[in-house]
Each structure stands twice: as C-alpha cells, then as structure tokens.
Amino acid sequence: MTERLMEILADSFFKILVPGLTMTIPLTVISFSFALVIATVTALVQFANVRVLRQLARFYIWVVRGTPLLVQLYVIFYGLPGLGVLIDPFPAAVIVFSINEGAYCAETIRAALESVPVGQLEAGYCVGMSYLQIIRRIVLPQAMRTAFPPLSNSLIALVKDTSLASNITVLEMLMATQRIVARTYEPLALYIEVGLIYLLFSTVLTKLQRVGEKKLSTY
Amino acid sequence: MMLEIRQLRKAFGDLEVLKGVDLEVDKGDVVAILGPSGSGKTTMLRCVNFLERADGGEMMFDGERFDLHRAARRDIARIRKKTAFVFQSYNLFRNKTAIQNVTEGLIIARKMPKQQAEEIAMRALERVGMADRRDYYPSQLSGGQQQRVAIARALAADPEIILFDEPTSALDPELTGEVLAVMRQLASDGMTMLVVTHEMGFAKNVSSRVIFMENGVVVESGTARDFFEHPQQERTRAFIRNVSGEMDA
C-alpha cells in the first residue's frame, strides 16, 4: 500500500465515522423506535382481531413488504413535492424507514404474540384480569422476549439500509465516502473502509444483543 | 345448593360434546367428575367459568341465576371472581415468580394494595408448602411445585369453589402425590371443589360425591360410597371393574 493511500484512509476514517455517529446512528435509532411502536400496534390489532384495523394492518404490511425500500424513499422525497408536500431529507428518511421497518417488525411481533400459549390468557381470565390487562402484563412481555432476537436482526439490517438514504441527499456514511472518492479516486479502498465501519457498528449491536438476551432470560 | 347446572349443552361444529348435563354442588362438597377421555368432563368444567361458551343451559350460583349461553360480560367477571380454576398444564404466568403469580390477580384485577396482596399470597403459598420458593420462576420449579403454586393462586382469590381440570394428569406418579396431598388438605378444610380427575384413589377416598360422564351425558351420580360400592348402571360397574386395580392409591 502506498503512502498516499494510507494517508487518504487515515484521513477519511473520521470524515466517515463522524457522519456515522451524527447521521447513521440517530437515523437508525429514531426510525427503529418509531418502527417498534408501529409494529406493536399493528401486531396487536391483528392478534386481538380488531375488525377494520386488522384489515388495514394486513394492507399496510402487504404494500410495504411488496415494494422496494429505495422506491419508497423516492416516492416520499422526490414524488410528494409534486403534490406540494416538501419534506427535508432527514425527516423523509425517518418516515420511510419507520414505516418500512415497522411492517417487518409487525410480523415478527405478531408471530411472537401467537407463540404465547393460550393457557396464559385463560389463566389471566380465571384470576379476573381483563383482556387488555392480560395482554399488557402477561402476553406482551413474554412475546417481546421471543421477538428480541429477530428484532435485533432487523435493527442490524436497518443500520446498513440507512445507506440508501444517500439517494435522497442525507449526508450519512456512504454519501460522505462517495464525496471522498470523487476527490481522491480510490473507490476500492474507501468503499472497503466504509464497509468495515458498518461492520464495526453491526458488531457492537451483536454484542449488545447478546447482553440483552442474557438480561431477558431471567425466567 | 351453591352451584347448580341445568341442561348444559355444547357442540364443537358437528360434534356434540355435552348433550344436556345436570350438576349440583353443595357448599363443602368435593365432587369428582369421572369418565373416559372425550366424555365432555373438561368441557363441562370450562363452561362453568366461561372459558368455553355453552350453547345452552343455565346455572344457579351463589343465589343468582345465569344463562350459560348469553351471560353478560359483567356477570362472567362476577362469577370468575368467586371461582378459581386449576389447569392440567398449571398455566402459571411464565414471566412472573411464584409469589407474583399469586398476587397478580389480587393487585391487577381486584386493585388490592401490594402489601396486603403479598401477605395473602404468602399465607396461600405456606398452605401448599411453597413459601420457600416464593421468588422462583415457573421454569425453575418441578411440575408438582408449579401445580401447588397454581393452587395457591386459586386459594388467594378466596373463591366459593375451586374447579380442578385433571390437576395431576401432567405429573409423574412421584409428583402426583404432593399435589393430591394438598388437595386432600383443602377438602378437609371444607373447601368446595369440583374435580375432573382420573385419580380413582382421590375420587373414592377424598371426594364426597362422584359424577360419571360418557358421551356428553351424566351416566351416574351419587355419593362416593354408593358409586364405588353399589353402582346402579351396567356401564358404571364395567368402569369400576376396569379401574379397581388403582383404587387403593
């Protein structure tokens, strides 16, 4: 490796990492938090078989899972201005990632809810609890433990998917890298470098997942 | 009469599981419900506290009359408050410790202060010999221990009657004994119990009355002594002959 390349890589490391810390991670954390709320509600209305909402939930999941994430980003960011709705890049990305991830996580949580034995509900009824009390205190906590590993999976996938936001001018890690490549003409080394930083982020999350699983395995 | 059921009917699709069952339970009675698998015993028990919704029939309970098919949600809640249910598979809340399993209904459903609920729970756990396991999760307990906690959960609700659905069927013989011992103690304390069981020893020696069901009807019912010593129906006599080996348990 030439000295110039070494210098570019060292120099660019923080130029990529900083947008990672100030953009990629906030984008991921905010989007995933919204996604979890959307997913929990969407899963619960299906689990509880709430009439109209259940059909709405199925429709939402069908549309979101059946269309590319990149297309969804384009529709919101480049499409909606045609209707006079202008959204800044970052909030647009948050909206799309939340809705997209919410659909996938909803299916994870629904499956986890359905894996809780019906006897847990029946026992709740027998001690006089209402349906909502049983869901909140018995079924949902157990389901969340089951859902934790696949949800961690989704979170790790989302970290990497945020790179798509570079397509709607969000200055996240990939976009930062592209800019350096345009200046230095070292695509191979720089794209590998940004890949390694994503790998670093994912590794930290994998470790956190293991800690979380241990915490949750008290019962 | 504390509990009286008239003409209870229930079908699952085309399958008629209960074809008009009558039942009477007096205060302090321990009624054993016997019968081959598929006779409708469990379904009958589950209809009493509305885990299954009957197709027809009525119930007199604690001086009130209820339509088993049409009972309103409020009435169901009231009935459940005065009854307790012990399941074959225990159904302890898996995310709660032994004592939390007992207090959950008291605190959440009955709005009892936590400290008072815990005092009641500890007394109930002591009664079933599980006080020293109060902070164990169900997964850390044996089947027999889980079932005893489940019985403590039932006791804590201070019910008029406890419904037992084959409480020892999921246990190996060694663990069956500890659960039956607890139930025997409850019976001698005067607790009213309705027990679906395959334990002939319990039916003969502990229960005061026996009901024998088959194909969704009551074939014979009477005092435990009459049932085992002077069965009236040919079907009942055949049943008692077949199970006589395990009756000394």
Side-chain angles (χ1 to χ4, degrees):
Chain A
M1 213 183 277
T2 66
E3 206 164 296
R4 173 181 168 271
L5 190 54
M6 288 288 287
E7 214 165 276
I8 290 173
L9 286 179
D11 193 44
S12 58
F13 181 77
F14 287 101
K15 285 188 179 140
I16 299 172
L17 186 65
V18 169
L21 297 175
T22 59
M23 248 336 155
T24 300
I25 287 179
L27 185 54
T28 305
V29 170
I30 296 170
S31 301
F32 199 71
S33 306
F34 284 130
L36 281 182
V37 174
I38 294 171
T40 306
V41 172
T42 309
L44 278 174
V45 298
Q46 293 178 79
F47 182 74
N49 221 339
V50 186
R51 236 162 275 164
V52 179
L53 292 179
R54 190 186 150 272
Q55 267 105 38
L56 267 173
R58 290 319 302 172
F59 178 77
Y60 154 64
I61 291 168
W62 172 64
V63 170
V64 170
R65 286 203 306 184
T67 54
L69 179 52
L70 191 53
V71 171
Q72 294 164 12
L73 282 167
Y74 281 7
V75 167
I76 298 295
F77 187 71
Y78 296 116
L80 283 188
L83 297 174
V85 181
L86 273 122
I87 309 174
D88 282 341
F90 187 79
V94 167
I95 290 169
V96 171
F97 288 130
S98 304
I99 290 174
N100 185 277
E101 204 60 36
Y104 286 94
C105 294
E107 288 295 86
T108 303
I109 294 173
R110 183 176 64 87
L113 286 168
E114 283 166 4
S115 77
V116 176
V118 68
Q120 297 286 308
L121 265 159
E122 291 184 346
Y125 285 134
C126 287
V127 299
M129 294 166 79
S130 69
Y131 182 75
L132 284 179
Q133 287 172 334
I134 299 169
I135 292 294
R136 190 163 52 80
R137 300 192 48 95
I138 309 296
V139 177
L140 205 50
Q142 292 182 28
M144 280 311 178
R145 189 173 86 150
T146 311
F148 187 77
L151 287 179
S152 307
N153 231 3
S154 298
L155 176 61
I156 291 171
L158 180 59
V159 173
K160 296 171 291 170
D161 285 347
T162 56
S163 60
L164 288 174
S166 59
N167 289 285
I168 60 166
T169 74
V170 174
L171 214 174
E172 45 65 69
M173 289 207 290
L174 182 60
M175 173 96 116
T177 312
Q178 283 168 337
R179 287 187 173 176
I180 301 168
V181 169
R183 240 180 23 237
T184 60
Y185 300 102
E186 292 290 352
L188 179 63
L190 285 164
Y191 286 137
I192 287 176
E193 183 173 38
V194 71
L196 286 173
I197 296 175
Y198 277 112
L199 186 60
L200 178 73
F201 284 8
S202 305
T203 308
V204 171
L205 285 176
T206 309
K207 289 265 192 288
L208 285 178
Q209 176 184 351
R210 212 158 296 155
V211 173
E213 276 177 35
K214 207 165 242 172
K215 270 226 165 116
L216 282 172
S217 66
T218 43
Y219 58 86
Chain B
M1 206 60 62
M2 169 197 274
L3 174 73
E4 204 178 327
I5 284 171
R6 289 277 161 260
Q7 287 303 304
L8 169 56
R9 288 180 295 106
K10 172 74 183 174
F12 292 109
D14 289 337
L15 184 69
E16 261 191 292
V17 181
L18 298 171
K19 303 169 186 168
V21 171
D22 297 335
L23 175 87
E24 291 174 2
V25 185
D26 253 331
K27 196 165 171 54
D29 258 354
V30 177
V31 179
I33 305 168
L34 307 178
S37 302
S39 56
K41 313 180 292 287
T42 291
T43 305
M44 189 204 70
L45 199 69
R46 289 167 60 84
C47 284
V48 172
N49 76 340
F50 298 89
L51 287 178
E52 299 292 350
R53 184 63 79 127
D55 297 332
E58 57 174 25
M59 174 162 84
M60 289 286 296
F61 177 57
D62 214 27
E64 282 185 273
R65 182 178 299 277
F66 301 96
D67 185 318
L68 283 170
H69 178 58
R70 268 187 287 270
R73 191 186 292 193
R74 267 220 328 268
D75 290 335
I76 294 174
R78 251 199 359 264
I79 292 165
R80 283 181 176 152
K81 236 171 202 177
K82 295 185 198 168
T83 62
F85 201 98
V86 175
F87 297 86
Q88 179 178 352
S89 48
Y90 337 126
N91 291 352
L92 289 182
F93 303 128
R94 299 185 301 185
N95 57 330
K96 306 270 173 199
T97 61
I99 189 166
Q100 288 169 343
N101 261 278
V102 184
T103 56
E104 184 73 6
L106 302 177
I107 297 172
I108 302 305
R110 289 168 201 243
K111 311 284 176 221
M112 191 183 281
K114 187 169 179 228
Q115 198 190 342
Q116 188 189 352
E118 284 182 345
E119 281 164 19
I120 290 173
M122 279 316 289
R123 277 203 295 279
L125 286 172
E126 269 159 26
R127 252 177 110 176
V128 300
M130 289 296 295
D132 58 331
R133 294 283 190 275
R134 53 170 285 171
D135 294 323
Y136 285 52
Y137 284 98
S139 62
Q140 299 166 316
L141 300 171
S142 73
Q145 291 172 327
Q146 289 187 57
Q147 194 61 297
R148 280 150 63 200
V149 173
I151 293 173
R153 180 170 69 181
L155 284 172
D158 191 25
E160 304 280 324
I161 183 171
I162 304 183
L163 312 169
F164 290 84
D165 181 18
E166 303 194 26
T168 57
S169 294
L171 300 171
D172 62 51
E174 233 175 332
L175 300 178
T176 301
E178 65 187 56
V179 172
L180 287 178
V182 167
M183 291 173 64
R184 198 170 289 136
Q185 184 60 46
L186 294 185
S188 68
D189 292 346
M191 177 60 76
T192 312
M193 296 154 72
L194 188 52
V195 188
V196 171
T197 185
H198 293 294
E199 291 290 334
M200 289 308 133
F202 181 86
K204 191 179 181 192
N205 302 319
V206 183
S207 70
S208 49
R209 291 190 29 244
V210 173
I211 288 170
F212 182 78
M213 284 179 68
E214 186 167 54
N215 294 326
V217 294
V218 174
V219 176
E220 182 161 350
S221 72
T223 65
R225 174 186 285 261
D226 281 348
F227 180 86
F228 284 104
E229 289 172 14
H230 312 289
Q232 301 298 308
Q233 304 292 326
E234 182 46 45
R235 177 65 187 98
T236 323
R237 282 196 281 271
F239 175 80
I240 290 170
R241 271 198 306 278
N242 291 338
V243 299
S244 58
E246 46 177 302
M247 227 161 350
D248 309 315

